[in-house]
Amino acid sequence: MDVLTPADPAAGRTGPRRPRPPGPDPRSERRRAAWVGAFLTPAVALILLLLLVPFLVTAWRSLFDDNGVTARFVGLSNYVALFTDPDFGRSLLNTVMWVVGTLVLPVLLGLLLAVLTHSVRWGAVARTAVVIPYALSGSATALLWTFLLRTDGAVNQTLSAAGLGGWQQEWLLHWPMNTLVMIVATTWQATGASLILFLVGLQTIPSETIEAARLDGARGLQLFLRIILPQLRPMTVVVVGMSIVNSLKTFDIVWLLTQGGPGTASETLALTMYRQTFTLNRYGYGAAVSVVLTVVVIAASWLYLRRQVRQRTGEAV
């Protein structure tokens, strides 16, 4: 009879084999983390190189009185001058008007047009008419609206021909009228982008969900508010977030239509930064405006996304 020695691994085993404790293998998790880090490192390095480093350089330059030839350290004097400048207050107000206007008009119109034209025969024609302006450049859009809105432009001539001469305005020469009509011009161009994104969102809604809601008696506005709009929430977050960021850095159409005038009445923060830096050669002051604009964009985006995450977490709970 064979005798089991202590060296035999089965010598002291008297019961069933103990199962391995559940849970991930630490070595496998470390390898996975290493691979994820390896893939993310180039992207993070690129972000640091192209975004964070220029911002830090700009923030440092904002501490100097710099005219492009000589630079003198002045600390926070540029920021003090900025926040006590009435032109900066008007520029900030105009930027807020752009944010509100581009949220109320392009986003809302894009949503309504996407829902109304999604499942009708003539929807493709209507969508094409709305999307075509989005394909135009900012320069082409500004040229077209200059033709429409100048003192002897198409809008005033049409009003005169219709016997409504009392409604004629110098649309681009008085604030806040010039800012409002430029928001309308941007709405004409930007609604197409919102329309496309909301159409993509509508195509992700299962048709069975809509049919079930209709069988339960949901129609019209009730169907839209209770079924369609909640299903479009992920796309709405994207569209609204993009609109906020784009409106905060509005530049091209304001520069081409009014150049911030009359005086500085219609300037936005982006235009103020450009004028101070490249027209007046106040590079330190312009850098301070750039830092403030960057902080405003990041803060607005963070607050909006944080609120959306909280709402979604609350719904999940």
Side-chain angles (χ1 to χ4, degrees):
M1 182 176 65
D2 295 337
V3 178
L4 296 176
T5 64
D8 194 329
R13 186 176 298 160
T14 59
R17 179 177 298 178
R18 182 177 296 176
R20 190 171 184 177
D25 183 4
R27 289 178 299 177
S28 175
E29 288 295 313
R30 285 195 294 269
R31 285 196 299 267
R32 183 174 180 273
W35 277 107
V36 171
F39 280 109
L40 288 179
T41 297
V44 173
L46 190 63
I47 290 174
L48 293 176
L49 179 64
L50 298 181
L51 295 179
L52 183 59
V53 172
F55 174 75
L56 293 177
V57 172
T58 302
W60 172 251
R61 195 166 190 177
S62 69
L63 303 178
F64 290 82
D65 181 10
D66 185 359
N67 60 10
V69 179
T70 60
R72 179 172 57 91
F73 184 80
V74 294
L76 299 177
S77 297
N78 285 324
Y79 293 95
V80 173
L82 179 65
F83 287 108
T84 56
D85 185 358
D87 289 341
F88 175 76
R90 174 65 61 85
S91 177
L92 185 60
L93 175 59
N94 287 331
T95 303
V96 172
M97 290 174 63
W98 275 95
V99 172
V100 174
T102 53
L103 286 180
V104 172
L105 295 177
V107 174
L108 183 59
L109 287 176
L111 173 61
L112 293 178
L113 290 173
V115 173
L116 292 175
T117 63
H118 177 58
S119 57
V120 295
R121 290 184 179 179
W122 49 268
V125 177
R127 291 194 296 268
T128 302
V130 175
V131 170
I132 284 178
Y134 178 62
L136 299 177
S137 66
S139 300
T141 302
L143 181 64
L144 173 62
W145 282 87
T146 299
F147 168 76
L148 293 173
L149 297 174
R150 63 189 182 187
T151 305
D152 59 344
V155 173
N156 280 340
Q157 290 184 12
T158 302
L159 291 174
S160 177
L164 300 174
W167 290 17
Q168 290 181 330
Q169 300 283 336
E170 294 179 335
W171 304 100
L172 298 175
L173 298 181
H174 300 286
W175 186 89
M177 178 63 70
N178 50 12
T179 297
L180 295 176
V181 296
M182 285 189 290
I183 291 174
V184 172
T186 299
T187 299
W188 176 77
Q189 183 187 31
T191 301
S194 301
L195 172 63
I196 292 172
L197 292 174
F198 280 123
L199 281 173
V200 173
L202 286 171
Q203 292 173 359
T204 63
I205 300 177
S207 58
E208 295 82 3
T209 302
I210 305 297
E211 292 300 327
R214 286 174 175 167
L215 290 175
D216 289 338
R219 293 289 187 275
L221 188 61
Q222 185 182 27
L223 178 65
F224 172 72
L225 294 177
R226 294 179 177 271
I227 305 299
I228 296 177
L229 192 58
Q231 296 286 333
L232 285 176
R233 182 174 178 180
M235 187 58 70
T236 304
V237 172
V238 174
V239 175
V240 172
M242 291 175 56
S243 297
I244 292 175
V245 173
N246 290 333
S247 59
L248 285 171
K249 59 186 183 66
T250 298
F251 174 82
D252 54 350
I253 195 164
V254 180
W255 177 257
L256 293 169
L257 283 177
T258 66
Q259 294 189 351
T264 59
S266 61
E267 280 190 355
T268 60
L269 288 178
L271 198 59
T272 299
M273 176 187 65
Y274 176 86
R275 180 174 61 86
Q276 293 289 340
T277 305
F278 299 107
T279 303
L280 302 178
N281 294 329
R282 300 176 65 186
Y283 296 100
Y285 193 91
V289 178
S290 177
V291 170
V292 171
L293 177 59
T294 303
V295 171
V296 169
V297 171
I298 293 175
S301 303
W302 180 76
L303 290 173
Y304 173 71
L305 293 176
R306 181 168 174 247
R307 180 180 179 184
Q308 296 302 319
V309 170
R310 282 187 171 182
Q311 288 181 353
R312 173 167 267 182
T313 303
E315 290 177 358
V317 173

